[in-house]
Amino acid sequence: MKVIIGITSDVREPFKNIIENGCKKTFASTDFDNVKTYFYYEGEFKIEGQDVFFPVPDLNAPRVGHMTLGFFKYILENEDFDYLFKSSCSCYVNQKNLYNFLLTQPRQKFACGHILHHHNYSENKDIKFITGSCSILSRDIIQKIYDNRNNWNHNNPEDVELCRLFEGYAELTPRVYRQDIETTEQVNSNIDVLGAPLNFKENYCYRVKGYADLGERKIDVEIMKCLHGKMLLDN
């Protein structure tokens, strides 16, 4: 079994600092067996280590969907994988726990994550979707989405469209091992933002949101490093 981690990325600050000094110096500094991490960006196509850039049309509509479809095309053509774990640079990923969780899951028609609802006003119906920061899709679903790419509505949120394009093909699994963290003090106290104990044995995703620095998000890097130290001690 092989797992791809795909992280939606941005060369602008504060995201660049979080990626280079947070993600790449902690969980993405080495890959667990059969797990491979990519950071994918908007830009002229090129590959630089873990970074892959994809051109997008110069449109008024949101552009992240074009970037995601470019990444899907790339991994379908160049990687032999069973699952994609799709996340953002504001998340710390425990690769070992992610891999162990997926060992017991279906290899096809598997879409897993935190489920929300979006109301599609043009069709007057609710669409169930899994949030983009912590979603797992089996390879066949990635292929299904890419095959339906011409039906993508780029005015809708990206994670909504991902699920809309395989609606009716696979059910969403509301199972996610994720906790949210806002301070290093929470990590050092082994609790999340809600005060629940941090579950280092099973959780594979920690959403990091350091609001204490007035939006600059510099503390995100420190939270990731603190988490990483805990992971190393725990394992």
Side-chain angles (χ1 to χ4, degrees):
M1 184 185 77
K2 184 172 181 180
V3 181
I4 298 293
I5 297 175
I7 299 176
T8 309
S9 304
D10 197 318
V11 297
R12 299 171 297 177
E13 297 293 359
F15 311 108
K16 181 179 180 181
N17 179 50
I18 296 171
I19 293 166
E20 295 299 328
N21 296 305
C23 302
K24 289 185 178 181
K25 291 187 178 179
T26 58
F27 73 88
S29 59
T30 57
D31 281 329
F32 185 72
D33 289 347
N34 293 315
V35 178
K36 187 173 184 178
T37 303
Y38 282 106
F39 297 84
Y40 63 96
Y41 302 80
E42 172 188 339
E44 183 178 348
F45 179 75
K46 62 180 176 179
I47 303 170
E48 295 180 342
Q50 294 173 302
D51 299 339
V52 190
F53 294 78
F54 300 98
V56 302
D58 187 13
L59 301 172
N60 292 326
R63 302 148 73 92
V64 66
H66 295 284
M67 194 168 71
T68 296
L69 288 171
F71 179 63
F72 284 6
K73 180 177 186 291
Y74 177 80
I75 59 174
L76 286 168
E77 292 178 349
N78 295 280
E79 294 287 355
D80 180 17
F81 69 99
D82 297 286
Y83 302 99
L84 169 67
F85 178 75
K86 190 174 176 302
S87 190
S88 69
C89 63
S90 63
C91 290
Y92 179 101
V93 184
N94 185 316
Q95 298 183 22
K96 179 181 178 181
N97 286 356
L98 174 65
Y99 187 85
N100 288 339
F101 167 71
L102 288 172
L103 280 174
T104 60
Q105 305 308 318
R107 297 290 174 89
Q108 292 186 324
K109 296 187 177 183
F110 186 68
C112 177
H114 180 56
I115 298 177
L116 295 175
H117 290 80
H118 173 81
H119 188 72
N120 186 326
Y121 289 95
S122 62
E123 299 180 15
N124 193 29
K125 71 173 186 177
D126 285 335
I127 299 173
K128 286 200 303 183
F129 70 99
I130 46 181
T131 58
S133 62
C134 189
S135 58
I136 301 172
L137 301 170
S138 53
R139 183 190 178 106
D140 58 312
I141 291 179
I142 300 297
Q143 185 69 64
K144 187 78 171 177
I145 294 169
Y146 189 73
D147 289 345
N148 290 336
R149 62 191 179 278
N150 292 333
N151 295 319
W152 188 298
N153 182 349
H154 292 277
N155 289 306
N156 281 337
E158 180 227 23
D159 43 10
V160 172
E161 283 300 289
L162 286 176
C163 293
R164 189 180 69 82
L165 292 187
F166 68 84
E167 191 177 26
Y169 175 75
E171 295 297 321
L172 304 185
T173 301
R175 189 184 309 153
V176 59
Y177 292 99
R178 164 188 152 181
Q179 290 181 284
D180 294 3
I181 301 172
E182 293 183 354
T183 68
T184 54
E185 288 77 15
Q186 289 167 358
V187 180
N188 289 326
S189 299
N190 288 326
I191 59 173
D192 66 11
V193 69
L194 299 177
L198 293 177
N199 183 355
F200 294 125
K201 294 297 183 183
E202 294 180 300
N203 281 352
Y204 50 74
C205 184
Y206 296 86
R207 186 75 185 271
V208 175
K209 288 285 190 179
Y211 294 108
D213 52 355
L214 301 178
E216 294 183 9
R217 305 280 300 279
K218 294 177 183 177
I219 197 172
D220 287 24
V221 172
E222 300 308 314
I223 295 173
M224 285 190 180
K225 289 179 178 179
C226 194
L227 266 174
H228 195 60
K230 290 274 188 178
M231 300 294 175
L232 293 176
L233 286 174
D234 194 64
N235 290 287

